[in-house]
Amino acid sequence: MSIPTNAAENQLISSARRRGAELIRALVTTTGVSPDVLCERAAEAVDRFCADLLGGLITAAVPLAGPESAWVRRHYLPLITEFGTGVRDALEDPTLRHAAAQAIQCKILEHERRLRIVLDSAAADYGLIADAAQSDGRAGDPQRNRQH
């Protein structure tokens, strides 16, 4: 698959932003819950968005070799930050917004760490595959190397 075309990339990003807007809309239309519950739901929305986005980006860019990993990172980090900021800014109460901002920041940091783990693991796997291919004469063909 490799790095998506510009059209596919734009569609992925637009889809992620639409999904983010839906999550924010669902959060701000929640009524009858305590500020603590609303704060938890804000963090859960960020958690869900980040996990779904990473899955979508990785699916679009396999195998995760050097350029594909850079592409995932280049899109993932700004989009999760944009979404987290949107969630925070959608909360009108300043005290709630501050508490949610802390929870959101924790979730974003967790997902940045998750991204690093996933990309490092993919790089290690790709390196092992490339090393094995070099030893049996299949070097230079990443797609073929992934199949073996």
Side-chain angles (χ1 to χ4, degrees):
M1 247 188 205
S2 198
I3 296 174
T5 64
N6 284 341
E9 179 180 309
N10 289 338
Q11 183 178 0
L12 272 168
I13 292 169
S14 294
S15 177
R17 286 184 171 137
R18 274 193 307 278
R19 176 67 177 136
E22 291 168 5
L23 290 169
I24 291 171
R25 202 171 14 264
L27 179 68
V28 298
T29 58
T30 301
T31 58
V33 297
S34 71
D36 289 341
V37 170
L38 196 55
C39 187
E40 286 176 28
R41 288 186 182 171
E44 289 169 1
V46 171
D47 198 35
R48 192 170 331 129
F49 178 84
C50 292
D52 291 349
L53 178 62
L54 183 57
L57 292 174
I58 287 173
T59 299
V62 292
L64 287 179
E68 292 84 5
S69 290
W71 180 87
V72 169
R73 183 182 310 276
R74 184 173 65 248
H75 292 292
Y76 184 70
L77 296 174
L79 285 169
I80 66 171
T81 302
E82 176 184 311
F83 178 72
T85 301
V87 170
R88 181 203 63 206
D89 291 349
L91 302 172
E92 293 180 12
D93 179 78
T95 304
L96 176 59
R97 189 171 42 249
H98 178 73
Q102 291 178 329
I104 290 165
Q105 183 178 23
C106 286
K107 288 297 180 185
I108 287 176
L109 290 172
E110 287 174 16
H111 283 278
E112 286 177 346
R113 180 175 179 268
R114 175 79 180 128
L115 173 67
R116 253 189 330 274
I117 291 168
V118 167
L119 296 182
D120 288 351
S121 175
D125 289 347
Y126 189 80
L128 291 173
I129 292 167
D131 289 346
Q134 284 179 343
S135 68
D136 73 3
R138 290 182 284 130
D141 186 355
Q143 289 291 31
R144 183 171 171 209
N145 293 346
R146 280 304 240 185
Q147 295 171 0
H148 295 281

